[in-house]
Amino acid sequence: AQSVTQPDIHITVSEGASLELRCNYSYGATPYLFWYVQSPGQGLQLLLKYFSGDTLVQGIKGFEAEFKRSQSSFNLRKPSVHWSDAAEYFCAVGASLAGGGADGLTFGKGTHLIIQP
Amino acid sequence: SQTIHQWPATLVQPVGSPLSLECTVEGTSNPNLYWYRQAAGRGLQLLFYSVGIGQISSEVPQNLSASRPQDRQFILSSKKLLLSDSGFYLCAWSLQGAGTEAFFGQGTRLTVV
């Protein structure tokens, strides 16, 4: 079965500094990978996704992520964070569900990003 | 454009009471529909998914059930709530086909007291 590990529960970054959130996955086939962001009490918003092709993918809000098959990683990066980036970030891998006919997302436990002024 | 509506936003229910959470999608046909639960520190857990009307698959055994009476309507129910049912419930939809991303509703915060 697939799994996602986000090793950092909390990360604190100063405003204007660079950011990297780590994500490692376990999946037997070529993965579909996603990063979502969640503001407090809200639903999840898709930041970016990797299906195939270029391993460096660009997303919304200035985020990017790099797929590294050899390391089973899909780390999220941003060169300069803003206070509005404070949120919960989830990495997910998409896989076919047991019943067939649909893909489901397996999520990591999330990384809480705190921005210091 | 497609939109997803989920209600209510918050709900406080006593133990043993019934539950009904509703989710509807607009602007698309025959979507895959999902119910996730988010517990503190545990990420999101897929509870149910549906690929069509009346077709429900459960990912984990639990006190909850789901139904899809119409193409774009997904309902999460319980006959008798338990304290452990408290959490943040998220409905999502995706297009049919492999590898498509899911789009989430705003969630329902359920507190069972």
Side-chain angles (χ1 to χ4, degrees), chain A residues 8-24:
Chain A
D8 303 305
I9 299 174
H10 300 279
I11 281 189
T12 300
V13 178
S14 297
E15 190 169 15
S18 63
L19 170 71
E20 182 170 34
L21 301 183
R22 296 183 291 166
C23 172
N24 292 96

Side-chain angles (χ1 to χ4, degrees), chain A residues 32 94-97 100-105, chain B residues 32 34 36 46 49 51 94 97-100:
Chain A
Y32 303 114
S96 295
L97 296 170
D103 279 8
L105 298 178
Chain B
N32 292 333
Y34 309 86
Y36 286 85
L46 179 62
Y49 69 95
V51 300
S94 71
T100 58

Side-chain angles (χ1 to χ4, degrees), chain A residues 2 25-33 67 69 93-96:
Chain A
Q2 63 275 9
Y25 69 91
S26 173
Y27 185 55
T30 300
Y32 303 114
L33 295 163
F67 170 59
R69 184 186 300 274
V93 60
S96 295

Side-chain angles (χ1 to χ4, degrees), chain A:
Chain A
Q2 63 275 9
S3 66
V4 176
T5 301
Q6 293 180 248
D8 303 305
I9 299 174
H10 300 279
I11 281 189
T12 300
V13 178
S14 297
E15 190 169 15
S18 63
L19 170 71
E20 182 170 34
L21 301 183
R22 296 183 291 166
C23 172
N24 292 96
Y25 69 91
S26 173
Y27 185 55
T30 300
Y32 303 114
L33 295 163
F34 308 84
W35 274 100
Y36 284 85
V37 61
Q38 184 183 33
S39 297
Q42 299 296 310
L44 278 71
Q45 181 183 22
L46 180 70
L47 285 175
L48 46 78
K49 59 187 178 185
Y50 170 78
F51 287 172
S52 64
D54 193 347
T55 56
L56 183 64
V57 294
Q58 303 296 320
I60 63 171
K61 304 184 180 184
F63 286 93
E64 67 177 25
E66 186 171 12
F67 170 59
K68 293 185 177 180
R69 184 186 300 274
S70 62
Q71 299 178 20
S72 297
S73 69
F74 189 55
N75 294 349
L76 182 71
R77 301 193 294 250
K78 186 170 184 177
S80 176
V81 297
H82 186 261
W83 64 266
S84 60
D85 293 324
E88 193 84 16
Y89 290 80
F90 292 94
C91 181
V93 60
S96 295
L97 296 170
D103 279 8
L105 298 178
T106 298
F107 286 86
K109 293 185 178 181
T111 297
H112 184 59
L113 176 62
I114 300 167
I115 306 297
Q116 282 184 335

Side-chain angles (χ1 to χ4, degrees), chain B residues 23-112:
Chain B
C23 172
T24 59
V25 179
E26 296 177 357
T28 188
S29 296
N30 198 28
N32 292 333
L33 296 171
Y34 309 86
W35 278 110
Y36 286 85
R37 178 169 58 200
Q38 184 176 23
R42 297 182 61 183
L44 284 85
Q45 181 184 39
L46 179 62
L47 302 177
F48 300 95
Y49 69 95
S50 171
V51 300
I53 296 174
Q55 300 179 59
I56 307 294
S57 297
S58 173
E59 285 292 291
V60 293
Q62 60 215 317
N63 183 45
L64 303 168
S65 62
S67 62
R68 184 171 178 173
Q70 300 180 44
D71 181 44
R72 291 169 289 178
Q73 183 185 29
F74 206 24
I75 298 171
L76 183 69
S77 304
S78 174
K79 293 182 179 179
K80 290 185 178 182
L81 285 168
L82 306 173
L83 288 174
S84 57
D85 292 323
S86 294
F88 193 55
Y89 290 83
L90 289 157
C91 181
W93 73 272
S94 71
L95 295 171
Q96 298 277 350
T100 58
E101 66 265 36
F103 300 91
F104 287 82
Q106 292 300 295
T108 297
R109 172 70 60 191
L110 172 65
T111 304
V112 182

